[in-house]
Amino acid sequence: MDRRFFSSALVTAAAWLSTSAAWAQAALFKSGKDFLTLDRPVATEAGAGKVEVIEFFWYSCSHCNAFEPTFAQWVKNAPKDVVVRRIPVSFREDFAPQQRLFFTIEAMNLLDTLHPKVFAAIHVGKLALNTDSSVLAWAEQQGVDKVKFNEIYKSFGVASKLKRAVQLQNDFKVEGVPSLGVAGRYYIDGSLAGGMDRALKITESLIAQSRPAQTSTQAVKPKS
């Protein structure tokens, strides 16, 4: 057998087995029981051939704080075709300062360093960080450029992201946090899944189902 033909056949077989395994796992999870399927799909920001996963969270939520290390590791190990977004929720008006804080450090490319520190400040340092003044004071203590932070924090761009975050929260019908949205079509939280570790397994299954159908690699025959 020609080597290129054989290699191509192996790739096709491997892809088929991978897809079959994903669907077999998916059979273990039921819509309406383990996760919810949205009545109306939500537009995603992931590019073509990508699957978007959204984590809905609140910095002051103890469950979100406990889930953060696990989710951060999961994000690091996520497949390249998975695009992860974090969206801070707003169930009350006093959630807004923390939403602004998140979107500000995101805009400043400081999420990797400051995102876990916000959780620590609230749950270990016992800071409320629920007012503009307390957020600005905390940011300055982290050595962040005070003028630049304040400018972005109060910017139209951040205000727009707050509105979009609330819209996404409503579109996914978020009932609690932490929770996850997959491919603009599915919603999962700890209550539905029976824990956030299982929620991630369900997420992985839904990611596999949501991938665009891959065209089977055709065998390449040697030229005569």
Side-chain angles (χ1 to χ4, degrees):
M1 179 181 290
D2 179 80
R3 184 172 182 176
R4 286 180 295 173
F5 183 91
F6 181 67
S7 297
S8 180
L10 282 178
V11 170
T12 302
W16 182 86
L17 287 172
S18 177
T19 302
S20 298
W23 281 98
Q25 184 185 37
L28 299 174
F29 307 124
K30 303 296 184 183
S31 179
K33 178 183 177 182
D34 302 300
F35 63 92
L36 299 178
T37 301
L38 303 184
D39 296 331
R40 298 178 60 183
V42 179
T44 72
E45 295 185 6
K50 304 287 186 179
V51 181
E52 182 178 84
V53 173
I54 296 176
E55 181 209 17
F56 294 98
F57 75 98
W58 175 36
Y59 278 125
S60 292
C61 165
S62 60
H63 298 291
C64 296
N65 179 54
F67 180 56
E68 175 56 26
T70 299
F71 187 65
Q73 187 60 49
W74 185 88
V75 172
K76 289 181 180 179
N77 296 331
K80 292 182 179 180
D81 66 341
V82 174
V83 177
V84 178
R85 298 171 59 201
R86 287 180 168 92
I87 297 294
V89 299
S90 180
F91 294 126
R92 300 191 308 262
E93 289 186 3
D94 62 348
F95 282 36
Q98 290 185 12
Q99 286 182 298
R100 287 184 177 277
L101 169 57
F102 173 82
F103 288 122
T104 299
I105 61 177
E106 180 184 54
M108 297 178 73
N109 295 316
L110 295 173
L111 276 182
D112 287 347
T113 55
L114 294 187
H115 183 65
K117 288 186 177 181
V118 179
F119 278 113
I122 294 171
H123 297 279
V124 180
K126 304 303 179 183
L127 298 177
L129 295 185
N130 59 357
T131 64
D132 293 338
S133 59
S134 64
V135 167
L136 294 171
W138 178 83
E140 187 176 5
Q141 291 171 2
Q142 308 312 306
V144 177
D145 185 314
K146 180 180 179 179
V147 174
K148 184 177 181 181
F149 184 93
N150 191 46
E151 179 182 346
I152 296 175
Y153 184 84
K154 297 179 179 179
S155 69
F156 174 78
V158 165
S160 296
K161 288 187 175 182
L162 259 68
K163 291 182 180 179
R164 176 58 179 156
V166 172
Q167 185 61 56
L168 281 170
Q169 176 183 328
N170 292 335
D171 288 344
F172 277 91
K173 300 179 182 179
V174 175
E175 297 185 355
V177 287
S179 52
L180 301 163
V182 181
R185 291 186 290 173
Y186 309 108
Y187 169 80
I188 313 158
D189 61 27
S191 296
L192 284 166
M196 290 310 295
D197 286 340
R198 190 166 183 268
L200 287 176
K201 294 184 182 300
I202 296 171
T203 297
E204 290 167 357
S205 174
L206 293 174
I207 288 171
Q209 292 183 61
S210 301
R211 285 191 172 101
Q214 297 181 359
T215 303
S216 297
T217 305
Q218 296 184 354
V220 180
K221 296 181 178 180
K223 295 181 180 180
S224 55

